[in-house]
Amino acid sequence: MQLSLSKSFVFLSFLFTLSQCVYYAPNAHNVPLLRNKGDLRIMGGLQGGSVFEDNEGVDVQAAYAITDSIGAMINGNYSWGSNSYDEADGYFFEGGVGYFKPLSKRWSFEGFGGFGHGTEQHTYNAGDANIRFTRFFLQPAIGFNSKYFEVALSFRLCHLYFYHYDPSNFAALDPEVQSDLNYLDDHRASFLFEQALTLRAGLPNVKLQLQIGGSRNINNPDLEQAEGYALLGVFVDLDEAFKKKPQ
């Protein structure tokens, strides 16, 4: 039997988490490793995790260096999946600004903060739920970059808040689903600690990116959420791609 690329991601991240219905899954970290004013980096990738038996997601990211030390980023994520209890899909968008500083010819530091908004729709065996949330984040990172290879370690501290919670036909839902939804309703605000390792290799302006990340809920550990993911994507350094070669 031939396994799809996304199912391979599920296997890679199986060690991170085993879950049923899940109400939060981390998006990929945007770690552009900016160095100079005008740097423009974009990334698109496919994400998988063990949240659902058949779980997939798409991440799209961009970052731009406004000055020699200030940058901005935007991120988007769409995820979908199903298990024996739940079929779900959702969108998440966020933006942020931050500071970056080259530490040497190869090493650099950056720190971003921002805000995001997400929606998710869950369809259960006997009902459904529409959920919306906001998330604030702070994300420092340190990385090594060269012409053909980059590696970075990033950490993200988040405040997650479920501000809209609207289940239907609640009394007919499976007792385990009821329990999960009651917990979410009683614990709407969470602090999360998330970490990621990012590896890139390829040409000077186009590289293959692998990122493996994890997420831990600090104050609501029983909230059903994804605890890990793996992402495979393409990272493009547009300022390098359009840089004029010397005559």
Side-chain angles (χ1 to χ4, degrees):
M1 180 174 61
Q2 186 176 4
L3 294 176
S4 68
L5 184 60
S6 61
K7 290 183 179 179
S8 299
F9 291 166
V10 172
F11 176 76
L12 284 172
S13 58
F14 178 78
L15 297 177
F16 285 102
T17 182
L18 290 171
S19 191
Q20 296 177 355
C21 301
V22 171
Y23 300 98
Y24 171 76
N27 64 320
H29 291 208
N30 188 344
V31 191
L33 298 181
L34 302 172
R35 296 185 65 86
N36 301 295
K37 178 181 178 180
D39 285 356
L40 177 60
R41 315 280 166 81
I42 63 173
M43 193 285 298
L46 180 65
Q47 181 186 139
S50 60
V51 178
F52 296 101
E53 294 169 2
D54 184 12
N55 175 61
E56 297 175 89
V58 176
D59 281 273
V60 179
Q61 304 174 339
Y64 179 71
I66 302 170
T67 72
D68 282 329
S69 59
I70 302 297
M73 65 165 58
I74 55 173
N75 307 314
N77 171 272
Y78 173 64
S79 298
W80 64 95
S82 63
N83 61 21
S84 58
Y85 291 93
D86 186 7
E87 291 185 5
D89 67 340
Y91 297 88
F92 179 72
F93 300 96
E94 68 182 348
V97 294
Y99 170 83
F100 65 91
K101 180 178 177 59
L103 302 177
S104 67
K105 184 178 179 181
R106 298 300 183 194
W107 290 90
S108 60
F109 167 84
E110 60 188 26
F112 285 86
F115 171 80
H117 180 270
T119 63
E120 50 189 276
Q121 181 68 38
H122 295 259
T123 302
Y124 310 109
N125 296 332
D128 56 41
N130 179 267
I131 298 171
R132 301 172 191 170
F133 62 90
T134 59
R135 195 186 73 181
F136 291 90
F137 74 93
L138 292 173
Q139 180 190 292
I142 189 168
F144 171 88
N145 47 16
S146 66
K147 194 172 184 179
Y148 302 106
F149 176 77
E150 297 180 357
V151 59
L153 184 63
S154 55
F155 302 92
R156 189 165 65 193
L157 182 64
C158 305
H159 179 265
L160 175 71
Y161 182 68
F162 294 96
Y163 73 90
H164 178 81
Y165 161 77
D166 184 23
S168 67
N169 203 22
F170 183 83
L173 296 176
D174 184 274
E176 291 191 36
V177 174
Q178 291 183 1
S179 177
D180 292 343
L181 289 172
N182 281 331
Y183 189 89
L184 183 150
D185 192 27
D186 293 336
H187 302 81
R188 295 197 180 206
S190 293
F191 288 96
L192 308 168
F193 179 74
E194 302 179 341
Q195 65 284 338
L197 174 66
T198 304
L199 302 171
R200 300 183 187 119
L203 301 175
N205 57 301
V206 179
K207 294 180 175 64
L208 190 67
Q209 173 173 308
L210 172 66
Q211 184 178 102
I212 299 175
S215 176
R216 178 178 297 275
N217 196 311
I218 299 172
N219 62 314
N220 294 318
D222 293 328
L223 179 71
E224 291 293 350
Q225 69 166 80
E227 296 181 354
Y229 68 89
L231 173 139
L232 185 63
V234 176
F235 179 85
V236 182
D237 184 345
L238 286 177
D239 63 292
E240 183 70 26
F242 293 116
K243 189 179 293 182
K244 292 183 179 180
K245 297 181 179 180
Q247 300 296 325

